[in-house]
Amino acid sequence: MASKSHESAGLAFDRDGPRGDVPLVLIHAGIADRRMWNPQWRALTAERDVVRLDLRGFGESAEPRPGAQSAMADVIETLAALGIERCQLVGASFGAGVAVEVALTRPSLVDSLLLSAPGGSLIKDVTPDLRAFIDAEESAVERGDLEAAVEANVRWWVDGPYRSPDTVAPAIRDLVRRMQRRAFEITAGWDDLEEQELDPPALERLAEVRVPTLVLVGALDLDAIVNTARHVTKGIPDAHLVEWPDTAHVPSMERPGDFLALLRGWLTT
């Protein structure tokens, strides 16, 4: 049974597919919203129970959380409201950090993790390329140039530091552009909101993650993300790393069929 543009615990979500198996839950990247999973959605929901969420400040989740902001708490509360007591959890970029925080905070909720281009709270170091992106985005925001801020995200994250824009499918760049612009518009007045961070942080607690974990990274991604993927793989006891040589920060969008195959294989191991 489909649930389109529904909301639970403040998060917009879709849920579709046959019930009965352990649900698959998809958490998007920080340059995206739940639309990033469009290429895999129909195939996955034909086979299993799948939920995809918009974190607060993205897509259709346009209202801040009362009190301190916590994406991890939002996900846990949303899944509880949906009656989900156990799930397979997939997180991309910022969403990968949220997924690990969920696994640390509610270990009984998570059967396995797939972390694609892990970022967010998992980023180990601010490498020169990450610093260059941060400076470009902050400069654009400070001068009120929303379009330039959006383009900085597309250029650094979708294209990556090692490719020119004309090597990436225009449809991918355009969708990320729309998703990122939407996030900037929603959060324009959120600067003073308190953020609730995991203490100790997830990066210091990787050894506590006790579920099978697959880490995917593209070799054309920022050095910060490639380094993070390798660090996370070493830190989680039952983790396996897959590196794709020809993708940057959104491998599930660049190679949707291969990502679907990888995910299917992971779910059946």
Side-chain angles (χ1 to χ4, degrees):
M1 180 178 178
S3 296
K4 292 297 183 183
S5 300
H6 277 42
E7 186 174 297
S8 182
L11 298 190
F13 70 93
D14 301 323
R15 186 177 190 179
D16 204 351
R19 307 293 171 90
D21 292 335
V22 175
L24 175 66
V25 177
L26 308 173
I27 306 177
H28 60 79
I31 58 170
D33 54 46
R34 73 189 193 271
R35 289 175 287 177
M36 75 169 289
W37 307 113
N38 284 350
Q40 294 84 26
W41 182 251
R42 182 170 295 182
L44 287 172
T45 57
E47 303 168 353
R48 59 188 303 125
D49 183 8
V50 190
V51 177
R52 59 178 178 175
L53 309 165
D54 279 342
L55 299 175
R56 287 185 195 273
F58 300 89
E60 295 181 303
S61 296
E63 296 298 325
R65 179 183 177 87
Q69 304 305 295
S70 172
M72 172 269 294
D74 283 334
V75 170
I76 291 173
E77 292 168 10
T78 298
L79 297 183
L82 294 177
I84 294 175
E85 299 178 349
R86 197 77 179 168
C87 68
Q88 313 272 8
L89 197 51
V90 177
S93 185
F94 176 80
V98 176
V100 170
E101 291 181 350
V102 170
L104 289 169
T105 304
R106 292 286 187 274
S108 63
L109 181 58
V110 181
D111 256 357
S112 70
L113 291 167
L114 195 161
L115 309 176
S116 179
S121 61
L122 300 176
I123 292 179
K124 185 175 181 292
D125 298 304
V126 179
T127 53
D129 52 8
L130 180 56
R131 172 51 58 191
F133 158 71
I134 292 170
D135 290 345
E137 183 188 58
E138 287 183 347
S139 175
V141 171
E142 287 172 2
R143 63 178 186 268
D145 191 342
L146 177 61
E147 293 306 314
V150 169
E151 289 306 315
N153 278 272
V154 173
R155 181 69 188 93
W156 282 99
W157 295 113
V158 180
D159 305 334
Y162 303 106
R163 296 186 296 190
S164 61
D166 59 5
T167 61
V168 181
I172 296 174
R173 301 181 88 248
D174 289 345
L175 178 56
V176 171
R177 188 177 287 113
R178 293 196 303 272
M179 293 188 290
Q180 181 64 78
R181 184 180 294 107
R182 170 67 176 163
F184 277 135
E185 291 169 350
I186 291 173
T187 59
W190 289 21
D191 293 345
D192 296 331
L193 294 179
E194 179 187 356
E195 296 285 342
Q196 179 182 340
E197 298 181 353
L198 202 63
D199 186 21
L203 196 59
E204 297 178 10
R205 299 173 58 187
L206 297 176
E208 297 176 32
V209 178
R210 296 296 182 177
V211 296
T213 302
L214 179 64
V215 181
L216 171 65
V217 70
L220 302 180
D221 207 337
L222 273 67
D223 293 342
I225 303 302
V226 175
N227 295 346
T228 294
R230 294 169 180 169
H231 179 76
V232 167
T233 304
K234 291 179 180 178
I236 295 176
D238 188 8
H240 174 65
L241 177 66
V242 173
E243 295 192 39
W244 285 355
D246 57 347
T247 67
H249 197 60
V250 284
S252 66
M253 298 177 73
E254 288 198 58
R255 291 171 53 178
D258 291 333
F259 185 84
L260 179 62
L262 181 75
L263 179 55
R264 282 171 167 160
W266 179 243
L267 294 172
T268 58
T269 56

